[in-house]
């Protein structure tokens, strides 16, 4: 290897289905499909061919490889491919310079034979990849990102190949993975099925584990479109070496020492290990906002189903990395939902001084559950006991539609509006991480003094209106984090209108390839309800078919059957970061919308917007807003509210914003 930049990405496949964005391509004239990745790479797959997999599952593994490769531009001057298989022996199936076009590469993958070997010498496979694949003599190119995807269904097992115990073999695997990372490789670990070794996989993975450590329940789930695109997207968008050297982000709660106990439901109703992992990822997300240590925040975890298990005390892990590693290794089990036992364990064990609970430090309890308690009477008694103590701030998070809302409110501290969260599935837990943390966290450093803003717009508190948000969730947004900035913008807008009195109603739509009505105007009759509804809105990916969203808006959302009120002002707020995929169809649908006498506001984000298209959608040029990025949406919120409420001449400093027509 030369000293040039090499970026290797190892995927040791494990079970977590994520929908990640697809990158738009400018030219599909050669290959008639949209691909996730247009970048070039030297891409090596390292695939498990051991006996534990079985031939039918191995063929599914090969299919997964082919589907991922179809998301890349393959060729001698594009992305090159090599494959290493391993069981008790390691075999380089083909190198980077052996095949030069997509058809030959895909055919070669299909011809790989299943070895059914009696061992899993992962350390030898990684060594062969490092020494014998990423070698200029076999087609490795200096300066081109090196990407490795490893697929395995279990931990390292030397068998009779080498005179090593499994523990020694695992150490060798971790050592080889570390060598790859020292070379500049990005290492993703993904394991398949129930026999994986999470600690080995996390040791192989780069940091942070929640990004580079993935898992799937079985080989069938390898071949979902969401997973193959996710793998291709992550492999395509590996950060540069310079980005790797950036210091980690500072925690948000450095100045707020806290003893926090998470109580996690692991009952049968979760259905899959993947869903349970989403609970663990939520905890990891919260931890990322905390400064962990004996003088900062401490974390303990309790899991429960038929029995409660005190996983580890508050003072066990005193740094973030070891804490996250411990959490990601917590096993899933099945059973009933004995919430009362978990609450009892929190009081009697987790918050005991002997287990690290500190005097004078805030105590936070967080329960995450997807169902009602098996013994509601005992749960009620335990909740009463918690509240009698009065020094524990309890939060309750309900997942799905089977939990008991009254029970959550009973467990949580008062007021329930600040301490109870509801999300429609486990995947949506990640969306409330920041919101949840903000409920008990003081900022680590003082926030900058905000720029003066106009007073709240009182007219909106008395004005009847039906408000519909159309939010772009196309591929160009790239991440759920970016999409969340649109949701935060909507969330904050809600504070300026009066939903609780019945004056205002709110609906939300999202769009990319297809529009989706997240909820209609008559779905929620309170601000709290609307904000809870926003928590369940997910990011997907796709093109920007704004016309389809406007058509659904006219035909479905702005109808009396779905809550639109005759004689009430209709306000439509469109947020988009790009030009419509079908501008002619958009022109037709926009004309239909304007005939509905709706007041339309168009907000363009970033450099890819089309100002003329925004002006076409908006009711008038003064209803067009343009901002440089998603973070800047907050800069125009009060200005937008003023316009919406008919109070747009409040002497706002308009030069602060990019408003109105732009050349």
């Amino acid at each position: 290897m030369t000293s040039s930049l090499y970026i290797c990405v190892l995927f040791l496949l494990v079970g977590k289905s994520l929908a990640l964005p697809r990158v738009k391509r400018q030219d599909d004239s050669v290959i008639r499909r949209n691909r996730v990745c247009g970048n070039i790479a030297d891409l090596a797959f390292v695939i498990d061919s051991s006996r534990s997999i079985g031939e039918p599952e191995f063929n599914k593994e090969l299919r997964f490889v082919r589907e991922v490769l179809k998301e890349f531009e393959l060729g001698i001057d594009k992305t090159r491919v090599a494959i290493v298989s391993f069981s008790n022996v390691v075999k380089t199936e083909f190198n980077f310079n052996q095949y030069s076009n997509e058809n030959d590469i895909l055919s070669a993958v299909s011809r790989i034979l299943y070895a059914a070997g009696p061992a899993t010498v992962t350390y030898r496979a990684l060594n062969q990849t490092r020494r014998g694949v990423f070698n200029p003599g076999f087609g490795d190119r200096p300066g081109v990102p090196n990407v490795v995807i490893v697929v395995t269904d279990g931990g390292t097992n030397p068998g009779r190949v080498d005179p090593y115990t499994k523990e020694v073999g695992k150490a060798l695997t971790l050592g080889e993975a570390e060598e790859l990372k020292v070379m500049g490789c990005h290492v993703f670990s993904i394991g398949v099925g129930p026999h994986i070794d999470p600690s080995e996989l996390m040791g192989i993975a780069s940091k942070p584990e929640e990004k580079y450590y993935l898992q799937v329940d079985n080989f069938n789930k390898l071949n979902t479109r969401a997973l193959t695109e996710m793998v291709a997207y992550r492999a395509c968008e590996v950060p540069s070496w310079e980005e790797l050297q950036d210091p980690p982000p500072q925690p948000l709660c450095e100045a707020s020492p806290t003893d926090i106990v998470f109580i996690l439901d692991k009952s049968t109703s979760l259905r899959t290990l993947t869903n349970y992992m989403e609970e663990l990822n939520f905890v990891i997300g919260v931890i990322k906002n905390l400064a962990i240590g004996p003088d900062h925040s401490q974390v303990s975890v309790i899991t429960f189903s038929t029995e409660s298990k005190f996983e580890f005390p508050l003072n066990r892990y005193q740094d973030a990395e070891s804490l996250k590693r411990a959490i990601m290794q917590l096993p899933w089990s099945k059973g009933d939902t004995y919430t009362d036992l978990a609450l009892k364990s929190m009081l009697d064990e987790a918050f005991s001084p002997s287990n690290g609970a500190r005097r004078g430090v805030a105590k936070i309890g967080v329960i995450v559950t997807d169902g009602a308690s098996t013994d509601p009477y005992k749960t009620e008694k335990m909740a009463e006991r918690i509240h009698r103590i009065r020094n524990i701030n309890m939060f309750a998070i309900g997942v799905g539609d089977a939990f008991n809302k009254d029970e959550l409110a009973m467990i949580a501290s008062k007021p329930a509006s600040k301490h109870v969260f509801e999300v429609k599935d486990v995947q949506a837990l990640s969306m409330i991480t920041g919101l949840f943390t903000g409920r008990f966290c003081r900022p680590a450093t003082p926030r900058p003094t905000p720029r003066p803003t106009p007073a709240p717009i009182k007219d909106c508190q008395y004005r009847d209106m039906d408000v519909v948000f159309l939010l772009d969730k196309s591929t160009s947004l790239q991440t759920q984090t970016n999409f969340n900035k649109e949701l935060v913008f909507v969330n904050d807008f809600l504070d300026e209108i009066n939903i609780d009195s019945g004056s205002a109603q709110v609906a939300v739509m999202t769009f990319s390839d297809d529009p989706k009505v997240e909820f209609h105007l008559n779905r929620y009759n309170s601000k709290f309800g609307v904000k809870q509804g926003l928590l369940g809105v997910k990011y997907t990916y796709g093109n920007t078919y704004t016309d389809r969203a406007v058509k659904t808006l006219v035909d479905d959302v702005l109808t009396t059957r779905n809550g639109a009120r005759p004689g009430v002002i209709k306000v439509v707020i469109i947020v988009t970061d790009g030009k419509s995929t079908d501008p002619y169809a958009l022109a037709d649908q926009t004309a239909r919308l304007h005939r509905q006498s709706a007041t339309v506001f168009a907000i363009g984000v970033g450099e890819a917007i089309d100002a003329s298209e925004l002006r076409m959608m908006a009711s008038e040029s003064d209803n067009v807003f343009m901002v440089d990025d998603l973070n800047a949406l907050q800069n125009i919120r009060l200005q937008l509210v003023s316009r919406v409420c008919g109070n747009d001449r409040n002497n706002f400093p308009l030069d602060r914003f990019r408003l109105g027509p732009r050349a």
Side-chain angles (χ1 to χ4, degrees):
M1 291 281 248
T2 71
S3 60
S4 301
L5 168 63
Y6 291 99
I7 301 178
C8 305
V9 182
L10 274 79
F11 293 103
L12 274 149
L13 281 166
V14 193
K16 175 170 179 170
S17 183
L18 298 175
L20 285 174
R22 301 177 62 187
V23 177
K24 295 178 180 176
R25 295 181 62 224
Q26 299 298 318
D27 182 9
D28 284 319
S29 58
V30 178
I31 300 174
R32 297 178 180 175
R33 66 192 308 274
N34 289 329
R35 307 203 183 217
V36 164
C37 187
N39 299 335
I40 67 170
D42 289 340
L43 172 59
F45 281 84
V46 182
I47 56 175
D48 191 339
S49 185
S50 59
R51 186 165 57 195
S52 59
I53 293 178
E55 188 167 9
E57 306 307 290
F58 180 73
N59 289 332
K60 294 174 185 176
E61 190 175 12
L62 295 182
R63 179 186 170 193
F64 168 76
V65 173
R66 292 194 300 270
E67 292 303 312
V68 172
L69 289 178
K70 289 176 183 178
E71 300 297 342
F72 289 81
E73 302 265 8
L74 304 181
I76 197 68
D77 296 321
K78 300 175 183 176
T79 290
R80 297 182 182 182
V81 180
I83 293 186
V84 174
S85 64
F86 68 100
S87 55
N88 61 318
V89 296
V90 175
K91 181 181 180 183
T92 301
E93 301 289 349
F94 56 85
N95 275 307
F96 292 126
N97 55 3
Q98 191 163 341
Y99 300 105
S100 60
N101 64 69
E102 179 174 321
N103 289 336
D104 289 347
I105 292 170
L106 296 180
S107 296
V109 173
S110 299
R111 293 194 299 270
I112 294 174
L113 298 178
Y114 174 49
T120 308
V121 289
T122 316
Y123 51 91
R124 289 189 173 219
L126 298 183
N127 180 277
Q128 172 66 11
T129 302
R130 180 168 61 87
R131 293 175 174 269
V133 173
F134 289 105
N135 185 312
F138 298 111
D140 178 42
R141 295 168 289 181
V144 173
N146 289 348
V147 178
V148 184
I149 301 178
V150 183
V151 186
T152 185
D153 76 331
T156 299
N157 177 16
R160 296 184 179 180
V161 176
D162 293 307
Y164 305 141
T165 63
K166 288 184 178 180
E167 289 71 22
V168 171
K170 174 179 175 179
L172 290 172
T173 293
L174 296 179
E176 289 293 341
E178 190 62 30
E179 289 290 333
L180 284 164
K181 287 181 276 188
V182 168
M183 286 167 46
C185 295
H186 289 266
V187 182
F188 287 73
S189 61
I190 312 171
V192 184
H195 304 301
I196 60 172
D197 182 341
S199 64
E200 178 175 306
L201 293 170
M202 285 188 288
I204 291 170
S206 297
K207 301 295 186 293
E209 282 101 341
E210 61 268 24
K211 176 179 179 180
Y212 291 97
Y213 166 55
L214 306 169
Q215 63 183 43
V216 293
D217 295 332
N218 53 56
F219 281 91
N220 288 326
K221 293 188 177 179
L222 271 182
N223 290 296
T224 63
R225 186 63 181 270
L227 182 64
T228 56
E229 290 190 355
M230 179 273 293
V231 171
Y233 181 83
R234 291 281 176 87
C236 183
E237 297 298 321
V238 290
S240 68
W241 179 258
E242 289 77 12
E243 290 174 315
L244 287 176
Q245 307 312 305
D246 289 343
Q250 292 299 309
L252 298 181
C253 286
E254 185 177 359
S256 303
T258 306
D259 287 344
I260 180 168
V261 177
F262 287 92
I263 305 172
L264 306 179
D265 188 342
K266 59 176 180 179
S267 59
T268 302
S269 54
L270 281 171
R271 296 194 302 276
T272 67
L273 173 63
T274 302
N275 287 339
Y276 175 64
M277 291 298 297
E278 292 289 356
E279 286 191 277
L280 301 185
N281 283 327
F282 168 71
V283 179
I284 296 294
V286 174
I287 289 170
K288 288 168 65 177
N289 291 323
L290 305 176
I292 301 299
D295 298 323
H296 299 291
S297 292
Q298 299 183 146
V299 173
S300 172
V301 174
I302 296 167
T303 59
F304 70 99
S305 54
T306 302
E307 297 179 345
S308 172
K309 184 176 181 182
F310 180 38
E311 299 288 356
F312 53 80
L314 289 162
N315 55 2
R316 172 72 58 82
Y317 301 103
Q318 296 299 321
D319 65 272
E321 291 306 318
S322 63
L323 176 59
K324 289 189 287 186
R325 188 180 297 273
I327 290 169
M328 295 306 290
Q329 294 184 60
L330 296 178
W332 178 50
S333 62
K334 300 179 181 179
D336 296 317
T337 311
Y338 281 93
T339 314
D340 59 295
L341 297 180
L343 296 176
K344 185 176 188 299
S345 177
M346 179 188 73
L347 285 176
D348 296 346
E349 296 179 280
F351 281 129
S352 167
S354 62
N355 285 318
R358 297 167 292 179
R359 289 186 178 181
V361 169
K363 292 178 173 55
I364 306 291
V366 187
I367 183 167
V368 183
T369 182
D370 75 334
S373 175
T374 304
D375 193 334
Y377 175 76
K378 289 185 178 179
T379 297
E380 181 179 2
K381 293 301 180 185
M382 287 308 306
E384 291 174 354
R385 182 182 164 196
I386 291 170
H387 297 316
R388 280 198 301 271
I389 296 175
R390 295 184 179 180
N391 69 341
I392 300 175
N393 198 10
M394 283 296 301
F395 293 85
I397 302 173
V399 180
D401 55 12
F403 60 84
N404 185 318
K405 294 184 180 182
D406 293 336
E407 188 170 79
L408 291 185
M410 174 184 66
I411 294 171
S413 299
K414 300 297 184 286
S417 61
K418 299 288 187 182
H419 293 83
V420 176
F421 296 81
E422 299 176 14
V423 294
K424 65 181 181 182
D425 53 37
V426 288
Q427 286 74 29
L429 282 170
S430 62
M431 296 181 58
I432 67 169
T433 303
L435 180 62
F436 166 75
T437 308
R439 292 287 168 87
F440 66 84
C441 171
R442 296 197 315 270
T445 56
R447 296 178 179 175
T449 303
R451 300 176 72 175
T453 55
I457 312 303
K458 295 182 179 179
D459 287 4
C460 271
Q461 300 299 316
Y462 308 104
R463 192 164 192 180
D464 292 343
M465 65 181 77
D466 291 340
V467 182
V468 184
F469 286 90
L470 269 66
L471 306 178
D472 187 342
K473 60 175 179 180
S474 59
T475 298
S476 51
L477 285 171
Q478 297 186 341
T479 66
Q480 177 76 53
T481 300
N482 284 337
F483 179 64
N484 285 350
K485 294 172 184 177
E486 291 187 66
L487 299 181
V488 169
F489 174 68
V490 176
N491 182 84
D492 293 345
F493 181 94
L494 299 177
D495 293 332
E496 305 297 335
I497 60 178
N498 195 338
I499 301 173
D500 294 336
S501 70
S503 295
Q505 294 185 146
V506 176
V508 172
M509 292 179 59
T510 56
F511 65 95
S512 54
D513 282 333
D514 296 301
K516 181 179 180 182
V517 180
E518 302 291 347
F519 48 85
H520 284 102
L521 288 163
N522 56 1
R523 175 63 179 86
Y524 299 107
N525 58 11
S526 68
K527 180 167 65 176
F528 176 76
V530 176
K531 289 191 173 187
Q532 290 292 313
L534 285 176
L535 296 178
V537 179
K538 292 182 180 178
Y539 172 62
T540 54
Y541 52 85
N543 296 303
T544 311
Y545 281 99
T546 319
D547 61 293
R548 297 174 183 176
V550 175
K551 184 178 188 300
T552 300
L553 170 69
V554 173
D555 295 342
D556 181 59
V557 177
L558 293 179
T559 61
T560 54
R561 71 177 182 274
N562 287 318
R565 297 170 291 178
V568 171
I569 296 170
K570 307 295 184 292
V571 175
V572 177
I573 302 171
I574 303 171
V575 183
T576 183
D577 77 332
K579 183 178 180 180
S580 174
T581 303
D582 191 340
Y584 298 105
L586 176 60
D588 292 338
Q589 295 303 326
T590 298
R592 293 184 63 215
L593 175 60
H594 289 166
R595 288 195 291 271
Q596 300 286 317
S597 298
T599 301
V600 183
F601 295 83
I603 303 173
V605 181
E607 298 179 352
I609 56 178
D610 184 329
S612 62
E613 193 170 88
L614 295 176
R615 290 195 295 270
M616 176 187 69
M617 292 189 290
S619 299
E620 55 182 287
S621 61
D622 283 346
N623 288 3
V624 174
F625 294 72
M626 289 182 280
V627 295
D628 293 326
D629 54 43
L630 290 161
N631 294 319
L633 283 173
Q634 292 298 331
N635 294 343
I636 65 167
R637 177 173 57 85
L638 290 179
Q639 179 70 24
L640 174 66
V641 171
S642 180
R643 294 274 176 85
V644 167
C645 299
N647 189 24
D648 59 344
R649 297 292 182 260
N650 274 358
N651 297 317
F652 280 24
L654 299 182
D655 59 336
R656 285 172 49 195
F657 312 113
R658 291 176 54 197
L659 302 175
R662 275 294 184 94

